[in-house]
Amino acid sequence: MTRAETKERNRRALLDAAFQVVSRDGYRARLEEIAERADLTTGAVYSLFGSKNGLVVALVADYLRPYYEEIEQVVPAGLDLLEAVDAFARHYRRSSDAPDALSRLSLQITLLDMALHDPELGSQLAASVRAQENHLIALFTGRRHNGGVVSSHQAQRLTTALRALFVGLSQGVPFGLAPGADEQYFADTARALASNVSLIDHDPNAS
């Protein structure tokens, strides 16, 4: 293997090990155990990620990247805003039934707990999530809606609202706390948000 291939292999091994340990132990996760599971030393963590927090932030980016890439595939260009939001909502609901849904939910809750115990890590995690959400903002920007097109500012406001809606609903689905929240329900509630004029059309910087 080349040096670059070895580095990527080690990086992948540490991310996979971190997913297992962090999902289980949260802020109590031990760097030593993560390195041991990856068959590496803690020195490799510092070399590749700089710190334990750096590893956790990289874990979040690694976890979210394919998710947003999938969304770009299921929400093609040419759809207007409501059609795009509908397709996004249905995809999000289907992901709640995926085999790894509970593992992903466990990681989400664990990361929130870690952020509460470590404000610096919380700030880094928030920045990582926002960077990934820029893909979704770009996906909605420029879509046709109510005779006009959606601005980047408007797409950002919509993305924030949809994230809050879907995170809340999807956390309730596995535990039966969101009765009736099927694919159609996700689509209907998302369309209702996108249709809200005050959400989509208000821009404090507009002239």
Side-chain angles (χ1 to χ4, degrees):
M1 297 180 67
T2 66
R3 184 174 181 179
E5 290 172 337
T6 299
K7 181 178 179 180
E8 181 55 30
R9 181 198 64 184
N10 292 345
R11 181 179 179 278
R12 183 73 262 158
L14 285 169
L15 287 171
D16 290 344
F19 182 89
Q20 297 172 13
V21 178
V22 170
S23 295
R24 185 193 69 201
D25 298 339
Y27 71 92
R28 297 184 182 86
R30 295 173 55 251
L31 206 56
E32 293 78 8
E33 182 179 357
I34 293 173
E36 183 179 351
R37 281 176 176 261
D39 198 25
L40 295 166
T41 67
T42 55
V45 177
Y46 291 107
S47 175
L48 290 167
F49 300 101
S51 64
K52 176 181 173 181
N53 280 3
L55 174 58
V56 173
V57 171
L59 172 62
V60 172
D62 184 72
Y63 161 74
L64 288 176
R65 187 177 300 109
Y67 166 72
Y68 284 108
E69 289 175 351
E70 287 179 6
I71 293 173
E72 291 176 354
Q73 295 298 316
V74 300
V75 185
L79 301 181
D80 66 24
L81 179 65
L82 295 186
E83 291 170 335
V85 165
D86 187 291
F88 170 50
R90 293 178 184 278
H91 173 73
Y92 202 111
R93 177 60 182 86
R94 289 194 294 271
S95 70
S96 298
D97 295 325
D100 64 343
L102 287 179
S103 296
R104 291 188 287 107
L105 177 58
S106 175
L107 180 62
Q108 289 176 15
I109 295 173
T110 296
L111 291 171
L112 286 174
D113 184 53
M114 294 179 74
L116 289 173
H117 283 85
D118 186 340
E120 180 180 350
L121 174 60
S123 178
Q124 293 174 326
L125 289 175
S128 178
V129 171
R130 284 195 298 270
Q132 294 295 325
E133 285 187 348
N134 285 337
H135 295 293
L136 195 55
I137 293 171
L139 194 65
F140 290 138
T141 300
R143 300 273 177 179
R144 303 183 310 278
H145 182 64
N146 284 346
V149 295
V150 179
S151 71
S152 176
H153 172 81
Q154 293 160 348
Q156 185 275 322
R157 288 171 64 84
L158 176 60
T159 296
T160 298
L162 289 174
R163 174 170 50 80
L165 171 67
F166 290 154
V167 167
L169 284 175
S170 62
Q171 288 181 357
V173 167
F175 305 107
L177 300 177
D182 57 10
E183 192 174 307
Q184 188 62 51
Y185 183 84
F186 268 60
D188 289 344
T189 54
R191 278 177 169 268
L193 270 177
S195 298
N196 188 300
V197 175
S198 64
L199 176 68
I200 300 301
D201 295 335
H202 174 64
D203 184 345
N205 297 316
S207 55

